[in-house]
Amino acid sequence: MASGFFALLDDIAALMDDVATMSKMATKKTAGILGDDLAVNAEKASGFVSSRELPVLWAITKGSALNKVIILPIAFLLTYFVPWLLTVILMLGGLYLAYEGAEKIYEYFFPHPKAEKIEVFKELSETEILALEKGKIKSAIVTDFILSVEIIIIAMGTVVGQDFWMQVMVVSIVAFIATVGVYGIVALIVRMDEAGYKLIQLSAGRNNVLQKVGTLLVKALPRVIQILAVVGTLALLLVSGGIFSHQFPALHHAVEFIPSMLLEFLLGLIVGLVCVFLVNVVKKIVKKEKVTQ
């Protein structure tokens, strides 16, 4: 009996080792989307008054966790019964990511006027502030849902052919990392300036190391957010382009002289711009019909 018990422990240890190895591989495969998730949500969770940053981030985190709870069972069922549908979902998600990335570039060159800015929070009523927060939280959760679908499907692609419960454990671990890890880092980023102010206060006005570090943190936050926004946009296009490239290998072979990363970026950008054009056309048609009614 003792030998059987130790054999069981050995099997469990071997299984955990396999799960850890495959989880590491799956995390590497999804690193691009995880980076974009980090960039997008750091941008969306910043810009609020200090006292509202963590509540907003916590609301987004809960929405992200709920996304995973919804997506994981559906993904496992689809894998078991209709695996071909995952490819369709992956392509639709790729179109959305391409649109998001291209839309950011389009808005940079052709910005549209915004009714309100986050910086004027102090001039708004509490109801208006909550309405703006809800809009930003909703936008972040919707984007997180799409990114979560992509993360989970790509993670599942790394465990194809494995035992069903192995798939469940590996993909669940990746989903956990995508929520706790990403939003933990986002919380640290958006509180950089607050930590900087605390260090400056501790320095008591003296020109010492604490004051210099605190000043650096305060000044660095806007730059970090800007850099993450750029990185996030590039990641959206690269991830979406990678999805299209892998689904159409003949296209990749036809232009082998183009570096794979550049090809993926161009594919994501071109498809994204086409989506932006079509969405703008539909918006104009809908707006025109409303005016004529």
Side-chain angles (χ1 to χ4, degrees):
M1 179 179 288
S3 62
F5 176 73
F6 286 115
L8 176 61
L9 289 179
D10 186 62
D11 290 342
I12 293 174
L15 176 62
M16 291 299 100
D17 185 58
D18 290 341
V19 170
T21 300
M22 301 205 72
S23 298
K24 185 177 180 181
M25 292 172 55
T27 303
K28 284 183 178 179
K29 289 283 187 181
T30 59
I33 305 181
L34 289 173
D36 178 66
D37 205 2
L38 170 63
V40 169
N41 287 291
E43 182 184 7
K44 291 183 181 295
S46 63
F48 297 93
V49 293
S50 179
S51 62
R52 296 302 303 164
E53 285 177 340
L54 289 182
V56 168
L57 182 58
W58 176 238
I60 297 173
T61 304
K62 290 189 291 184
S64 176
L66 180 60
N67 285 342
K68 308 299 189 301
V69 171
I70 294 170
I71 297 167
L72 282 172
I74 295 174
F76 295 139
L77 288 172
L78 291 178
T79 301
Y80 194 82
F81 293 107
V82 280
W84 60 267
L85 191 57
L86 290 176
T87 302
V88 176
I89 296 172
L90 187 65
M91 291 296 291
L92 291 174
L95 289 174
Y96 180 83
L97 295 177
Y99 168 78
E100 281 280 296
E103 201 274 338
K104 290 180 181 180
I105 294 176
Y106 177 81
E107 186 177 351
Y108 177 79
F109 289 103
F110 305 99
H112 50 75
K114 296 181 180 180
E116 297 287 352
K117 292 184 178 180
I118 298 298
E119 288 75 11
V120 298
F121 263 5
K122 293 181 180 179
E123 301 176 6
L124 300 177
S125 67
E126 184 177 352
T127 303
E128 291 172 323
I129 292 174
L130 292 176
L132 285 172
E133 286 185 2
K134 286 181 180 179
K136 208 167 187 182
I137 291 169
K138 182 179 178 180
S139 174
I141 292 174
V142 169
T143 302
D144 177 90
F145 185 89
I146 301 299
L147 293 171
S148 296
V149 170
E150 301 298 319
I151 288 168
I152 289 170
I153 291 177
I154 292 174
M156 295 190 75
T158 64
V159 289
V160 172
Q162 298 293 323
D163 179 79
F164 177 74
W165 290 109
M166 171 72 78
Q167 295 181 16
V168 170
M169 286 187 287
V170 170
V171 177
S172 297
I173 289 171
V174 173
F176 178 80
I177 293 172
T179 301
V180 177
V182 167
Y183 290 98
I185 296 173
V186 170
L188 292 176
I189 291 174
V190 299
R191 300 300 287 178
M192 277 178 59
D193 56 346
E194 193 67 21
Y197 286 127
K198 293 292 184 183
L199 290 176
I200 292 173
Q201 289 175 355
L202 289 174
S203 70
R206 295 188 298 272
N207 186 21
N208 55 26
V209 176
L210 287 180
Q211 186 178 28
K212 290 180 180 179
V213 173
T215 303
L216 177 63
L217 289 175
V218 172
K219 291 182 177 179
L221 178 60
R223 298 297 182 187
V224 170
I225 298 299
Q226 289 174 356
I227 292 171
L228 286 174
V230 174
V231 171
T233 300
L234 293 175
L236 284 170
L237 297 175
L238 285 170
V239 170
S240 61
I243 292 171
F244 304 138
S245 176
H246 293 140
Q247 293 300 319
F248 301 101
L251 176 63
H252 180 72
H253 293 305
V255 287
E256 289 183 343
F257 59 91
I258 300 179
S260 59
M261 183 174 290
L262 178 59
L263 175 63
E264 292 172 0
F265 173 78
L266 292 175
L267 279 174
L269 180 60
I270 292 170
V271 173
L273 289 175
V274 171
C275 292
V276 169
F277 173 77
L278 293 176
V279 169
N280 287 339
V281 169
V282 171
K283 284 182 178 179
K284 288 182 179 179
I285 293 173
V286 171
K287 185 177 181 180
K288 187 176 181 180
E289 289 181 353
K290 287 183 178 180
V291 171
T292 56
Q293 287 178 353

